[in-house]
Amino acid sequence: RADVGKLALRMSPTDVGALCTRVAAALAPYAWEAGRVTVGAQIADPLPPIALDPQRMEQILHNLVGNAIRHTPPGGVVLVTAERTQDALSVTVRDTGSGILPADLTHIFDRFYGGEASGGAGLGLTLVAEWTAAMGGTVAAANAPEGGACFSLHFPTPPAVTPRAPSAACHTPGRRRSR
């Protein structure tokens, strides 16, 4: 459906921080039982709600966190973070696994590209990229400097508004302004 432009998105104001926390909490017991991997979330407060399809965003996070769990050895950590930058809301899924082979980094979002070590069909990350783009965002993959893989999602937000007191020069006492 995404290929033919018929992907139905149900965009609504979404609390991305709560969504990240919920996905991390849902997958943490599985990660621990399956491979002694710890899954957590760190959410910056306050995050503004942004227009996303919450169901697709949850699927994106399940895919990224699930991949991170599979590629993280016992005793490792998968961390989901969310924060607001100057003009975007950023979500990052980082793991302490072996990272992504450099040859795979340039193709990791290509359809059916499973990479040498993926063990998958090569569709999950393609869908992550397509759904993220359909919601107006971008996705990137990199190796974290301290080791492991790092997937970052960025969704544009309106600039933060800082309330200001009205200036005394806005009107002259005794004169009425019409609007």
Side-chain angles (χ1 to χ4, degrees):
R1 286 188 286 175
D3 280 345
V4 294
K6 294 183 181 177
L7 177 65
L9 293 175
R10 296 189 194 322
M11 304 290 275
S12 64
T14 303
D15 183 343
V16 175
L19 194 58
C20 290
T21 301
R22 187 170 62 243
V23 170
L27 293 176
Y30 158 77
W32 185 253
E33 289 177 25
R36 297 295 185 243
V37 172
T38 301
V39 176
Q42 287 182 342
I43 310 304
D45 284 328
L47 292 179
I50 60 171
L52 296 174
D53 180 324
Q55 181 180 357
R56 297 287 181 217
M57 186 63 186
E58 188 166 345
Q59 289 173 310
I60 287 169
L61 289 169
H62 270 275
N63 185 297
L64 293 176
V65 174
N67 284 350
I69 291 166
R70 277 193 304 281
H71 294 283
T72 301
V77 175
V78 173
L79 184 62
V80 182
T81 61
E83 66 181 350
R84 182 182 180 145
T85 61
Q86 185 173 0
D87 59 354
L89 191 137
S90 298
V91 176
T92 303
V93 177
R94 183 181 311 243
D95 65 57
T96 57
S98 58
I100 304 165
L101 295 173
D104 292 341
L105 270 174
T106 57
H107 302 287
I108 200 149
F109 297 108
D110 294 350
R111 186 174 297 273
F112 303 119
Y113 184 81
E116 278 186 45
S118 83
L123 283 175
L125 292 176
T126 301
L127 292 173
V128 164
E130 288 176 1
W131 291 341
T132 300
M135 291 187 287
T138 60
V139 62
N143 285 313
E146 63 278 1
C150 182
F151 287 83
S152 300
L153 307 167
H154 301 281
F155 295 96
T157 59
V161 177
T162 305
R164 294 185 302 180
S167 168
C170 289
H171 67 281
T172 306
R175 292 182 66 190
R176 293 185 63 182
R177 295 180 301 177
S178 60
R179 292 188 188 220

